[in-house]
Amino acid sequence: MSKFGVMVMGPAGAGKSTFCASLITHLQLNRRSCFYVNLDPAAETFEHTPDLDIKDLISLEDVMEEMQLGPNGGLIYCFEFLMENLDFLTESLDSLTEEYLIIFDMPGQIELYTHVPILPALVRFLTRSGSLDIRLCAAYLLEATFVVDRAKFFSGTLSAMSAMIMLEIPHINILSKMDLVKDQVKKKDLKRFLTPDVGLLDDDPAEIARRKAEGEAPEDADAADPQDKDALMRGAGFRRLNRAVANLIENFSMVSYLKLDVQDEDSVGAILSYIDDCIQYHEAQEPKELKDDEFEDEEGMDD
């Protein structure tokens, strides 16, 4: 019997836990069952208490204190420890029925999703037939305020694409915190970010305004002092790097975004519909038997 789950991931500050809380509230309001799994060993506060918390197995604070590791190294150690103790997950998840949506709230360290092989191994364990057999999809959140800085936006999009390639599961990308950019970006301009292309760099308002203010030709910054980080970030070399990244993303043509405003229940419901479609949730649900009183009510209506 298959189970169903969504792995909520993305960089720190993208609103992953807030989205998980809004998703759980929406599911509860619609009388759907869910099981909340916190896999962030550094998380401290929750709007909804996790049904399963990795901190009951290991916490980042203890690892950093006992192993003398920094936060990133400590997080990798926590996940390595989890992979050595997978019964922690199996014992709690094995009994869940197909009516449940399992929500995995992931940490924000980006290296987990880009080049460290631990998370792909965890995904293979969760989705393997004959074991937990979870139909799993990834929901990768990127803060919508990134669209204001286009270089930063393409950097975040590259990380999203890297996660898609690494994990090899159905994947949706989400621009979160849309309420923060409503007054900063026009709707017609925002649509261009939903399917990123290199043209976004050609008409970057911030870059155009900077050139006008400084009277600097595009190639003049190549001679900047290597020690001057601000000059390098404005230089032609930096622009060429951004263009190379944007071209790579456009050539792969894998990344597109959905918009999310967690304060809007319709927005949360729309994201849930995409998740359900990815994991084919509704196809596995059997018709529910009517209760006796409901059956009698329908007979009365027929009369």
Side-chain angles (χ1 to χ4, degrees), residues 5-6 8 19 23 32 101 137-139 172 174 258 268 270-281:
V6 56
V8 181
F19 170 60
L23 185 59
R32 275 183 60 178
L101 178 65
C137 83
I172 61 174
I174 301 168
L258 303 172
V268 177
I271 297 295
L272 176 60
S273 70
Y274 278 93
I275 292 171
D276 286 341
D277 185 58
C278 282
I279 58 180
Q280 300 178 311
Y281 174 82

Side-chain angles (χ1 to χ4, degrees), residues 37 39 52 82 85-93 122 126:
V37 181
L39 289 183
L52 182 63
L82 175 65
N85 296 272
L86 289 171
D87 287 348
F88 175 76
L89 294 174
T90 305
E91 290 172 0
S92 297
L93 301 179
L122 176 61
L126 294 173

Side-chain angles (χ1 to χ4, degrees), residues 19-178:
F19 170 60
C20 288
S22 298
L23 185 59
I24 292 169
T25 299
H26 182 83
L27 289 166
Q28 291 174 344
L29 289 173
N30 287 274
R31 299 182 179 182
R32 275 183 60 178
S33 301
C34 61
F35 192 88
Y36 182 29
V37 181
N38 172 52
L39 289 183
D40 184 356
E44 296 180 352
T45 58
F46 304 94
E47 186 173 330
H48 295 277
T49 303
D51 298 293
L52 182 63
D53 193 343
I54 190 175
K55 290 194 297 181
D56 293 334
L57 176 70
I58 190 170
S59 75
L60 180 60
E61 183 179 1
D62 291 341
V63 169
M64 291 174 63
E65 182 179 341
E66 295 180 17
M67 307 298 294
Q68 298 298 306
L69 294 171
N72 289 341
L75 183 75
I76 299 299
Y77 182 91
C78 289
F79 268 81
E80 289 175 343
F81 189 81
L82 175 65
M83 293 304 297
E84 294 172 358
N85 296 272
L86 289 171
D87 287 348
F88 175 76
L89 294 174
T90 305
E91 290 172 0
S92 297
L93 301 179
D94 193 43
S95 61
L96 296 180
T97 67
E98 60 188 13
E99 293 183 353
Y100 282 82
L101 178 65
I102 307 170
I103 301 171
F104 296 92
D105 191 354
M106 305 298 293
Q109 275 73 5
I110 204 67
E111 56 265 40
L112 280 175
Y113 316 116
T114 55
H115 59 275
V116 177
I118 297 175
L119 204 53
L122 176 61
V123 166
R124 287 192 295 271
F125 169 76
L126 294 173
T127 58
R128 189 170 62 227
S129 298
S131 181
L132 289 174
D133 193 15
I134 301 175
R135 291 188 190 176
L136 191 65
C137 83
Y140 192 98
L141 272 64
L142 189 69
E143 191 174 337
T145 54
F146 278 32
V147 304
V148 178
D149 183 341
R150 300 194 181 189
K152 193 174 181 181
F153 171 75
F154 277 108
S155 174
T157 301
L158 182 63
S159 296
M161 189 175 78
S162 177
M164 295 176 76
I165 295 170
M166 282 276 288
L167 298 183
E168 299 180 328
I169 55 175
H171 199 110
I172 61 174
N173 298 295
I174 301 168
L175 284 178
S176 62
K177 303 184 181 181
M178 288 300 301

Side-chain angles (χ1 to χ4, degrees), residues 194-223:
L194 301 183
T195 306
D197 66 83
V198 71
L200 289 169
L201 293 175
D202 295 329
D203 55 0
D204 184 354
E207 180 63 18
I208 293 171
R210 183 193 63 77
R211 289 180 190 168
K212 286 182 178 178
E214 298 182 6
E216 177 187 321
E219 60 274 2
D220 288 347
D222 270 338

